[in-house]
Structure formats: structure tokens, C-alpha cells
């Protein structure tokens, strides 16, 4: 039910905004940004995993359909233009350049205001440049172009619709190819990207804070004597192990960091080997009719989730 609600919400927001004669796209953004930022309070872990899987599939299918429709319609539109206006490639370059320039003119003042409010001593122009170059176009302009009707209200065909479709598709291709393939070098040259070591340190510090929060809660439960000591000890050992691992990673001694990383790497490799053995044994139990298909699928999902976590680590 929550998955259905999540899928219906953007459509409902769009239709309500259209009825009120406002922007349906903006309404979808607001509807997604509000509940989306508080999803952990509205759902549980199982539903979040399911929603991510469903949304990934739906987005992939929708984008594939839109690009397929454009690909099927584009040759005919280009042939229609070839008989009339031959300067449409120049129009594409002009529109793409205008989009980049307007984006820079919009982002640069906003970035200056934000940096001034943040008490930044010197204006950093690398941030608006990177944000401008990151403005690639994708499926939304294509969807907007396809929504243009072929016939006007008076029954006459819209003569410039093929030109709009060709220009939109070409601009999307230009931005995806030119800006998309050069974005990584631009970010590296700008020097504003977070270093991998800093990102890892930030994650380790966050894990340390989470472990401290868990230990503090365990101490509260221990004082209330609401949980058996053996359960508290088991939970405490797990949190202390995470805390010790975080402390070792945060140490400034390079040798200790390398040793910890090497031990973690060996652990992940061995655990993945063990998961492979467990997967084979699980299949053997199913083949010999020792377990049902429901049990096999549930255990296989548990093994897959653990293996995915190890791969992400």
C-alpha cells in the first residue's frame, strides 16, 4: 500500500497543480522534497528497500520509453526539416550556448549571495562554474517536447513542432555528450570536490557517533533493568566493536590505518567466500527438498543483502 501511495503521489500533485493553474513540475518537486526528506520517519527499512527497487525500475522504464519514442520519431522530423530549413544544426548550438550562459548568469549571483552570507572572505567562482557545467539536459525536456500537440485548437497542424522536437533532442545529446563527458575533469580541475580520505573520515566519524548513541541508550536500558543482562552484553559488545574499529580508522598513524584497511579487506573477501559456500548449500537443501521455495528465497535475499553491503564497503 505504501508503494502504491508513493507512486500515485507525484501524479496527484501534478494534477492538483494543473487544476489550480500552477506548475505541475514544481508541485512534483515540492511533493517529493517534503515527504522524501522525512522518509525514514514515515517508513521502515523493508519498505525503503522495496521503494528504492521499484523507483529504480520505474525510472529506467520511463526514461527508456521517452528516449525510444524520440528515437523513432526523430528521423522523420529531421527529413521534414531537411526539405526546408538547413540551418537547424546552428540553431542547436545557439540554443545550447544560450542555456549554458543563462544558467551561469542565474547561478553566479545566487552563489555570491550564499557565499557572502556564509562569511566567505573571498568569492569562489569555481563553484558556479562547476554548477553551470553540471546542467546537462535529459528526459524532462524530451517529455515536455513530446507533450506539444500536433494540431492547434483551430484544427491546423503546428508547423514548427518538428523543429522543436529536433532542437530539443539535439540539445539533450549535445549537453549529455559534451558536458557529461567533460564534467569529471572540470570538477577535478576546480578542486572543490571532497577528497576520498575526507569522505571516508566523515563516514567513520558518523559511525562513531552512531555507536555512542547506541551505547547511551543501552546504559539507559541497563539502569531500568528492563532487558536481560546477557542481551545487553551482546549488544554492548557489538557496538564497542564498531566503536573500536572507528577509533582505529581515525588514528593518525598511517601504519595502523593500513593494517586496519588490510584486515577489513581480508574480512570482506573471506566473508564473501563464505557467502558463496552458504549459497551453494542453500541450493542443495532446496534441490533435495529439505526446505521450501519460500524459505530458500527468504534466506537467499538475506545472503544477497549481506553480499551487497560487503561490495559497497
Amino acid at each position: 500500500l505504501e508503494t502504491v501511495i508513493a507512486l500515485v503521489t507525484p501524479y496527484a500533485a501534478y494534477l492538483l497543480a494543473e487544476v489550480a493553474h500552477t506548475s505541475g513540475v514544481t508541485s512534483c518537486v515540492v511533493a517529493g522534497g517534503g515527504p522524501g526528506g522525512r522518509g525514514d520517519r514515515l517508513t521502515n527499512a523493508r519498505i525503503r528497500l522495496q521503494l528504492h527497487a521499484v523507483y529504480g525500475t520505474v525510472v529506467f522504464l520511463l526514461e527508456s520509453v521517452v528516449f525510444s519514442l524520440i528515437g523513432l520519431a526523430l528521423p522523420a522530423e529531421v527529413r521534414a526539416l531537411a526539405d526546408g530549413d538547413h540551418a537547424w544544426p546552428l540553431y542547436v548550438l545557439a540554443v545550447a550556448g544560450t542555456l549554458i550562459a543563462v544558467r551561469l548568469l542565474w547561478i553566479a549571483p545566487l552563489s555570491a549571495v550564499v557565499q557572502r552570507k556564509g562569511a566567505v572572505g573571498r568569492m569562489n567562482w569555481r563553484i558556479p562554474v562547476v554548477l553551470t557545467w553540471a546542467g546537462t539536459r535529459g528526459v524532462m525536456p524530451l517529455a515536455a517536447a513530446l507533450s506539444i500537440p500536433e494540431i492547434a485548437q483551430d484544427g491546423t497542424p503546428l508547423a514548427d513542432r518538428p523543429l522543436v522536437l529536433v532542437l530539443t533532442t539535439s540539445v539533450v545529446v549535445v549537453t549529455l555528450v559534451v558536458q557529461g563527458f567533460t564534467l569529471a575533469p572540470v570538477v577535478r580541475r576546480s578542486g572543490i570536490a571532497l577528497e576520498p580520505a575526507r569522505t571516508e573520515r566523515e563516514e567513520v566519524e558518523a559511525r562513531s557517533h552512531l555507536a555512542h548513541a547506541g551505547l547511551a541508550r543501552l546504559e539507559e536500558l541497563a539502569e531500568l533493568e528492563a532487558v536481560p543482562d546477557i542481551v545487553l552484553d551482546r549488544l554492548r559488545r557489538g557496538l564497542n566493536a564498531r566503536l573500536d574499529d572507528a577509533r582505529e580508522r581515525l588514528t593518525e598513524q598511517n601504519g595502523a590505518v593500513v593494517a586496519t584497511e588490510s584486515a577489513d579487506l581480508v574480512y570482506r573477501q573471506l566473508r564473501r567466500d563464505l557467502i558463496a559456500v552458504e549459497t551453494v548449500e542453500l541450493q542443495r537443501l532446496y534441490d533435495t527438498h529439505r526446505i521450501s521455495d519460500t524459505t530458500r528465497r527468504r534466506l537467499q535475499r538475506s545472503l544477497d543483502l549481506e553480499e551487497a553491503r560487503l561490495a559497497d564497503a
Side-chain angles (χ1 to χ4, degrees), residues 99-211:
L99 286 174
I100 296 175
V102 171
R103 184 177 175 88
L104 178 61
L105 294 176
W106 175 255
I107 291 180
L110 291 179
S111 179
V113 173
V114 171
Q115 294 185 51
R116 185 177 299 275
K117 289 184 177 180
V120 178
R122 184 178 179 181
M123 176 64 183
N124 187 354
W125 291 102
R126 294 175 294 180
I127 295 176
V129 169
V130 171
L131 290 177
T132 299
W133 203 247
T136 57
R137 264 65 183 180
V139 69
M140 291 193 64
L142 297 180
L146 286 175
S147 67
I148 299 176
E150 297 182 356
I151 301 176
Q153 293 182 353
D154 57 359
T156 59
L158 293 178
D160 293 332
R161 187 176 187 273
L163 179 61
V164 173
L165 290 176
V166 172
L167 289 181
T168 304
T169 306
S170 302
V171 169
V172 169
V173 172
V174 169
T175 57
L176 287 178
V177 174
V178 177
Q179 294 176 254
F181 282 108
T182 58
L183 180 59
V186 170
V187 173
R188 285 195 295 267
R189 291 289 299 273
S190 67
I192 67 174
L194 295 178
E195 296 294 333
R198 178 179 175 180
T199 304
E200 182 180 0
R201 182 180 182 85
E202 179 182 287
E203 180 180 349
V204 172
E205 290 178 348
R207 291 180 181 274
S208 177
H209 286 292
L210 295 179

Side-chain angles (χ1 to χ4, degrees), residues 213-288:
L215 289 172
R217 177 56 178 168
L218 281 181
E219 296 302 326
E220 295 178 1
L221 294 176
E223 294 179 358
L224 296 175
E225 298 182 354
V227 182
D229 292 339
I230 185 173
V231 178
L232 290 174
D233 292 338
R234 181 180 178 183
L235 293 172
R236 190 178 290 109
R237 284 196 303 268
L239 290 175
N240 282 326
R242 296 181 184 180
L243 191 58
D244 293 339
D245 179 71
R247 289 171 178 171
E248 291 178 0
R249 287 176 175 270
L250 289 174
T251 183
E252 296 180 355
Q253 298 179 0
N254 295 330
V257 173
V258 173
T260 302
E261 293 178 353
S262 300
D264 291 338
L265 180 60
V266 172
Y267 170 80
R268 291 197 298 268
Q269 291 175 346
L270 290 178
R271 182 55 192 145
R272 294 176 71 177
D273 292 339
L274 294 178
I275 290 176
V277 173
E278 294 178 22
T279 301
V280 173
E281 177 64 16
L282 179 63
Q283 186 64 38
R284 187 190 68 82
L285 293 174
Y286 175 72
D287 293 338
T288 56

Side-chain angles (χ1 to χ4, degrees), residues 62-114:
L62 289 178
E63 290 184 345
S64 300
V65 168
V66 173
F67 277 104
S68 298
L69 291 175
I70 284 291
L72 293 173
L74 188 61
E77 307 295 347
V78 172
R79 286 193 297 267
L81 290 181
D83 298 334
D85 197 345
H86 299 278
W88 64 268
L90 298 179
Y91 300 160
V92 171
L93 297 178
V95 173
T98 302
L99 286 174
I100 296 175
V102 171
R103 184 177 175 88
L104 178 61
L105 294 176
W106 175 255
I107 291 180
L110 291 179
S111 179
V113 173
V114 171

Side-chain angles (χ1 to χ4, degrees), residues 296-311:
R296 181 187 66 86
R297 290 177 181 272
R298 184 181 296 112
L299 294 177
Q300 186 63 61
R301 174 174 172 78
S302 177
L303 293 174
D304 292 342
L305 289 175
E306 184 177 1
E307 185 175 3
R309 287 194 297 267
L310 293 172

